[in-house]
């Protein structure tokens, strides 16, 4: 808890986002690739993503000739996304607790083993659909750990002002993989078989592992003690729960991804049943999606300059909804290819904007956990959507399913009227250490708790209302960084005396508030409240009465 002595403020990556200054000049969308470390890892991730998409296409095509193809195809998509839904938050907790490079390297080695086993069994014709789903789930577990960890690494190797471009390049990476992976997989499946696709996916993990071995991650500053898994998991959940910006982004992602997943989940059936195309044709359709996404990534810097976040939500939703309608009503290969290109552009611009906003907003100490929850929502929307749209197709028809998804997409777009975007572009997210170190006569153990912290403020009568309003932002800061309960009270005997009270689970959690969880925005919120009080706050730390010193 702050005394009013000021500590040194840690610098963030690059300059903090502006606070009312003129917008910076547009950066090249390729600017982050000038950094050798980012370029090397970006290429390695591209190889891994290509392999992953080849694996998905190979698995889907392996079951597309089953009697109940719609169910099996959608279950492949669900099996690949379900691990992210279940494990992304624990994975993000691991990435915020342990060395991120070593964690990524360990996962790639495990994925190599699983991919090799899948290849051998498929080549031996010992891969029934149920076992294929089990391997797909296992590979998805590896992706569940990789995704939030890689997203948390990016701000370590890219300057802050290049993060939007880095996010767009991430989308380019993904969609190049979506274009090249399925196209190559379609050719290999048609001429060799799915085993070759699975084998190349296994090789892709070695490429990523090699790049990680070549990267020498510098030592990371932080708290003196590594966070334990359980408290770290709960801290990540509390941060998101009390962060309106993050919650708003997650809601917006859900409203877009849930209906949008119909394309990724059921496109093999569109290729086979509506357009009468084979594996190669399916690859071409996915390539059309990728072309649109890459075009959107190249246009992203200009789009960010031309339109607001809310306007982008509306434009992306309308374009994607219109594309779904075309796919449903126009069974023509060229028309569907054009619609998929437009859908890819809309998907990329919307998802890339959400991703960049989250990278810019989340502080480093909780970044992987925040991205873990983002991946839970993103993958959950895709997995649930793929399953639901598969069921709707069994009950009705493929065309009806796409029309229903279009209606849901357009309805979600309209909600921007009531749920506008607040991406926190102007917030200072650099870490700030400005609380005075607590000096206690008792020396509590790190596990001691709960700890009750009080701060007494003297506020003149004319500032009472403004002070109470300013303390709302302080409340959010306390709850995001460790407090489980918070209250502001007024002394009945001394009306100018306000008492802030909040409870932290353990002494260790409170020390983490002192050691780096706070940001420049938190400091600004406290300063606004403090300026309305007379003199510094009087701070006390209350330990349990049965504490034995």
């Amino acid at each position: 808890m702050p005394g009013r002595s000021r500590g040194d403020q840690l610098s963030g990556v690059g300059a903090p986002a502006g606070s009312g200054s003129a917008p910076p000049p547009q950066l090249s969308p390729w600017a982050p690739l000038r950094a050798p470390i980012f370029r090397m890892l970006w290429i390695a991730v591209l190889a891994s993503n290509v392999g992953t998409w080849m694996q998905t296409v190979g698995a889907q095509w392996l079951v597309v000739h089953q009697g109940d193809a719609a169910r099996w195809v959608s279950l492949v998509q669900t099996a690949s996304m379900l691990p992210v839904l279940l494990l992304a938050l624990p994975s993000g907790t691991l990435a915020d607790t342990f060395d991120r490079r070593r964690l990524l390297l360990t996962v790639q080695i495990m994925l190599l083993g699983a991919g090799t086993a899948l290849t051998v069994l498929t080549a031996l014709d010992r891969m029934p659909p149920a076992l294929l789903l089990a391997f797909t789930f296992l590979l998805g577990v590896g992706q569940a750990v990789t995704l939030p960890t890689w997203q948390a690494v990016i701000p370590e190797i890219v300057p802050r002002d290049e993060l939007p471009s880095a996010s767009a390049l991430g989308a380019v990476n993904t969609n190049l993989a979506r274009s090249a992976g399925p196209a190559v997989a379609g050719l290999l499946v048609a001429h060799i078989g799915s085993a070759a696709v699975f084998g190349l996916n296994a090789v892709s993990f070695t490429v990523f592992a090699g790049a990680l071995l070549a990267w020498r991650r510098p030592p990371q500053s932080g708290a003196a003690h590594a966070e334990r898994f359980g408290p770290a998991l709960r801290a990540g959940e509390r941060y998101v729960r009390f962060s309106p910006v993050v919650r708003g982004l997650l809601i917006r992602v859900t409203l877009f991804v849930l209906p949008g997943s119909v394309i990724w989940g059921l496109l093999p059936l569109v290729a086979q049943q509506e357009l009468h195309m084979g594996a190669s044709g399916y690859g071409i359709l996915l390539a059309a999606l990728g072309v649109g996404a890459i075009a959107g990534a190249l246009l992203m810097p200009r789009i960010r300059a031309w339109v607001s976040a809310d306007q982008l939500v509306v434009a992306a939703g309308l374009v994607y909804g219109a594309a779904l309608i075309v796919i449903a009503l126009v069974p023509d290969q060229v028309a569907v290819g054009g619609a998929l290109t437009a859908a890819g552009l809309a998907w990329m611009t919307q998802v890339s904007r959400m991703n960049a906003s989250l990278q810019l907003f989340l502080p480093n100490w909780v970044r992987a956990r925040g991205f873990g929850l983002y991946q839970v929502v993103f993958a959950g929307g895709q997995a649930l959507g793929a399953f639901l749209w598969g069921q709707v197709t069994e009950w009705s028809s493929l065309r009806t399913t796409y029309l229903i998804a279009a209606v849901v997409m357009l309805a979600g777009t309209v909600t921007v009227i009531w749920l506008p975007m607040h991406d926190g572009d102007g917030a200072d997210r650099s870490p700030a250490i400005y609380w005075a170190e607590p000096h206690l006569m008792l020396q509590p153990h790190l596990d001691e708790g709960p700890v009750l912290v009080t701060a007494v403020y003297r506020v003149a009568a004319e500032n009472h209302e403004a002070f109470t309003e300013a303390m709302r932002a302080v409340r959010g800061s306390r709850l995001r960084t460790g407090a489980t309960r918070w209250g502001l009270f007024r002394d009945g005997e001394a009306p100018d005396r306000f008492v802030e009270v909040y409870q932290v689970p353990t002494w260790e959690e409170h020390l983490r508030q002192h050691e780096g969880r706070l940001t420049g925005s938190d400091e600004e919120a406290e300063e606004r409240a403090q300026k309305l009080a007379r003199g510094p706050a009087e701070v006390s730390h209350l330990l349990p009465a049965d504490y034995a010193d």
Side-chain angles (χ1 to χ4, degrees):
M1 177 65 201
R4 295 326 303 172
S5 64
R6 162 106 182 191
D8 294 331
Q9 180 165 314
L10 299 178
S11 60
V13 179
S19 56
S21 59
Q26 292 180 19
L27 295 172
S28 165
W30 310 106
L33 290 175
R34 291 196 291 262
I37 295 175
F38 179 80
R39 182 172 62 248
M40 175 184 66
L41 291 174
W42 187 88
I43 293 172
V45 171
L46 175 62
S48 181
N49 284 339
V50 168
T52 298
W53 274 96
M54 290 174 64
Q55 146 74 28
T56 300
V57 171
Q60 287 182 322
W61 209 259
L62 202 62
V63 299
V64 79
H65 299 294
Q66 297 291 322
D68 46 354
R71 181 168 67 93
W72 284 112
V73 167
S74 61
L75 283 175
V76 167
Q77 182 80 4
T78 301
S80 65
M81 291 295 177
L82 190 59
V84 180
L85 177 64
L86 298 176
L87 302 175
L89 180 55
S91 300
T93 304
L94 290 175
D96 280 332
T97 305
F98 297 105
D99 184 276
R100 291 166 182 167
R101 172 184 169 273
R102 293 180 181 177
L103 181 61
L104 285 171
L105 183 59
T106 301
V107 170
Q108 303 316 302
I109 295 172
M110 295 174 61
L111 288 174
L112 174 60
T116 301
L118 173 61
T119 302
V120 172
L121 290 174
T122 303
L124 295 174
D125 199 22
R126 299 296 181 90
M127 189 53 59
L131 184 58
L132 176 65
L133 290 180
F135 269 101
T136 301
F137 183 87
L138 184 60
L139 293 171
V141 170
Q143 290 300 311
V145 179
T146 299
L147 287 172
T149 309
W150 166 242
Q151 292 290 345
V153 162
I154 292 175
E156 296 182 20
I157 56 179
V158 173
R160 182 178 175 85
D161 60 351
E162 293 183 5
L163 280 178
S165 294
S167 179
L169 283 171
V172 170
N173 191 310
T174 299
N175 287 284
L176 278 174
R178 281 176 178 158
S179 302
V184 174
L187 292 173
L188 290 176
V189 168
H191 294 91
I192 303 178
S194 292
V197 172
F198 299 154
L200 284 177
N201 182 39
V203 171
S204 74
F205 300 131
T206 66
V207 176
F208 197 4
L212 291 167
L213 285 171
W215 174 37
R216 292 293 179 260
R217 185 183 187 225
Q220 302 296 302
S221 60
H225 305 281
E227 287 189 78
R228 290 169 296 174
F229 183 82
L233 186 67
R234 291 189 291 272
E237 181 274 330
R238 277 198 307 270
Y239 185 91
V240 172
R241 184 174 11 132
F242 294 106
S243 176
V245 172
V246 178
R247 290 202 314 272
L249 286 170
L250 296 181
I251 292 172
R252 186 53 55 194
V253 167
T254 302
L255 293 174
F256 186 80
V257 168
L258 190 62
S261 64
V262 69
I263 287 183
W264 312 110
L266 298 179
L267 192 57
L269 299 182
V270 173
Q272 183 189 53
Q273 298 178 10
E274 297 294 325
L275 303 179
H276 310 291
M277 305 171 76
S280 299
Y282 172 48
I284 291 173
L285 294 181
L286 280 173
L289 270 169
V291 168
I294 293 169
L298 295 176
L299 292 172
M300 234 358 237
R302 293 186 179 181
I303 291 174
R304 287 176 62 90
W306 289 342
V307 301
S308 68
D310 288 339
Q311 290 170 335
L312 180 60
V313 168
V314 172
L318 291 177
V319 170
Y320 205 98
L324 294 178
I325 293 172
V326 171
I327 295 170
L329 300 180
V330 186
D332 177 80
Q333 294 179 7
V334 175
V336 170
L340 289 172
T341 301
L345 189 150
W347 179 277
M348 200 294 306
T349 54
Q350 179 76 322
V351 173
S352 175
R353 177 59 187 255
M354 302 294 177
N355 192 289
S357 296
L358 202 59
Q359 283 180 332
L360 287 167
F361 184 80
L362 288 171
N364 184 61
W365 72 269
V366 75
R367 183 174 291 126
R369 278 166 281 186
F371 266 104
L373 274 173
Y374 173 85
Q375 294 296 338
V376 167
V377 172
F378 191 89
Q382 286 194 299
L384 179 61
F387 176 77
L388 291 177
W389 300 128
Q391 297 302 309
V392 172
T393 301
E394 287 193 347
W395 298 332
S396 55
S397 69
L398 195 57
R399 293 186 178 185
T400 300
T401 299
Y402 270 80
L403 288 174
I404 293 174
V407 172
V408 175
M409 174 64 73
L410 296 174
T413 301
V414 172
T415 62
V416 75
I417 299 173
W418 302 282
L419 296 171
M421 284 282 294
H422 298 289
D423 56 11
D425 275 350
D428 180 1
R429 310 309 296 161
S430 57
I433 298 178
Y434 58 94
W435 284 7
E437 182 179 352
H439 296 284
L440 278 63
M441 297 299 293
L442 301 176
Q443 293 301 319
H445 188 272
L446 292 176
D447 290 331
E448 191 68 39
V451 176
L452 196 66
V453 183
T454 67
V456 179
Y457 303 84
R458 298 284 181 173
V459 183
E462 63 271 17
N463 291 332
H464 284 182
E465 184 176 350
F467 177 79
T468 302
E469 182 63 29
M471 289 298 289
R472 294 181 186 274
V474 175
R475 172 187 181 273
S477 171
R478 305 285 193 252
L479 294 171
R480 283 192 300 273
T481 57
T484 55
R485 301 175 65 185
W486 183 93
L488 181 65
F489 302 90
R490 190 174 176 188
D491 192 332
E493 284 73 37
D496 68 336
R497 186 172 179 268
F498 285 75
V499 182
E500 178 194 8
V501 181
Y502 67 91
Q503 181 175 299
V504 186
T506 64
W507 181 244
E508 180 184 15
E509 282 289 294
H510 183 57
L511 288 180
R512 292 191 184 281
Q513 292 179 305
H514 282 265
E515 294 172 353
R517 284 188 176 179
L518 299 170
T519 67
S521 296
D522 297 317
E523 183 178 17
E524 291 168 7
E526 288 193 39
E527 287 178 346
R528 283 193 296 270
Q530 185 62 50
K531 287 178 181 178
L532 297 168
R534 293 196 298 260
E538 301 170 10
V539 181
S540 298
H541 299 84
L542 307 182
L543 304 173
D546 58 357
Y547 171 73
D549 57 353

